Amino acid sequence: MSQAKQKRMLKALREAARVASVMVDGDEASRIITDRALHYIANPDPEFRFLAGDFFDVDHATFLRMKKTLIRLEQLLPFPCNTALWLTVKELEDHVTLAVQNGSIHRYYRFGETKRPLEPEMAECLRTGVCVEAPGDHPSGTLTLLAPVKNSLGDAVGLVELTSMDPVSKELTPAWS
C-alpha cells in the first residue's frame, strides 16, 4: 500500500516540479541575494568564518515574491511538501546556496550552511535543464524532485527543491530545520 502511495506522490511531485520549472523566473531569482553576499559566500574570510552569514543581504521585495511563489507551488500538492530555492554561486559554479526556504522538510539543507557542493542530481538538473528525481531510499526519508530555474537566455541559474516525507520511510518529519 505504501509503495502505491509513494508512486502517486512522485507523480504529483513531478507535475509540481514541471510547473515550477515554468513559473519560477531565473532573472528574478538571481536578484534575490546581493553581489556582496555572494562574494562572501564564495570567498569566506578565514579569520571570521561567520562573516558570510553576517553579510547575507537580500532584495526584500524579490525575496518575498519568490517565497510566496514557492508557497503557492506547495499548494498544488494534496500532501505536505516544502520547497526551497537553490541558486548557483557566481564565483563557484559547482556550488549552490539556499536563497529561500519554506518549511522543515528538506533533503539537502544543513543548519548554518552557506554553500554546498552540487549533489549529482542537482548537477544533472542544472546541466540538462530538466526536472530530476533525487535518488530514493535516502537517509532523510524524503521524496524529492528538482526543477531547473532558467533565466531569459534559457540558462539554468538555480533549482527548486520540492520535498515530501516518503511514506515508505520510518523517519519522522523534522521538528525544525
Side-chain angles (χ1 to χ4, degrees):
M1 183 65 155
S2 290
Q3 288 187 341
K5 183 176 181 182
Q6 183 186 53
K7 285 182 180 185
R8 287 192 305 274
M9 288 175 72
L10 284 169
K11 182 178 178 183
L13 283 166
R14 272 188 217 94
E15 180 59 15
R18 185 190 69 78
V19 172
S21 71
V22 174
M23 295 300 301
V24 178
D25 182 342
D27 293 314
E28 183 165 51
S30 295
R31 289 190 291 270
I32 293 173
I33 303 173
T34 66
D35 287 338
R36 177 178 82 159
L38 284 170
H39 171 76
Y40 284 108
I41 290 168
N43 305 288
D45 186 318
E47 190 175 344
F48 304 103
R49 63 186 191 136
F50 297 110
L51 192 61
D54 292 343
F55 284 141
F56 190 80
D57 304 321
V58 298
D59 178 88
H60 292 280
T62 308
F63 174 89
L64 289 173
R65 273 192 306 275
M66 189 62 64
K67 189 161 186 74
K68 289 177 180 181
T69 298
L70 294 177
I71 290 170
R72 288 181 185 110
L73 286 167
E74 292 174 7
Q75 300 306 308
L76 293 174
L77 297 159
F79 48 83
C81 172
N82 291 143
T83 53
L85 173 65
W86 294 89
L87 296 174
T88 55
V89 179
K90 288 179 185 175
E91 297 177 45
L92 294 172
E93 293 300 322
D94 60 341
H95 283 72
V96 288
T97 189
L98 187 61
V100 180
Q101 170 180 296
N102 291 322
S104 61
I105 306 171
H106 294 285
R107 180 176 286 227
Y108 306 107
Y109 177 70
R110 300 296 171 259
F111 182 78
E113 179 178 70
T114 58
K115 66 179 179 276
R116 70 175 302 113
L118 291 172
E119 299 291 335
E121 59 271 22
M122 290 175 156
E124 180 184 350
C125 181
L126 291 170
R127 185 183 73 255
T128 63
V130 299
C131 297
V132 173
E133 182 181 326
D137 198 27
H138 190 265
S140 65
T142 57
L143 300 175
T144 300
L145 260 287
L146 302 171
V149 174
K150 297 178 184 178
N151 64 16
S152 58
L153 299 175
D155 299 325
V157 296
L159 46 94
V160 172
E161 171 192 351
L162 297 110
T163 298
S164 291
M165 293 307 296
D166 187 339
V168 175
S169 173
K170 303 287 188 232
E171 293 295 317
L172 297 175
T173 304
W176 59 279
S177 164

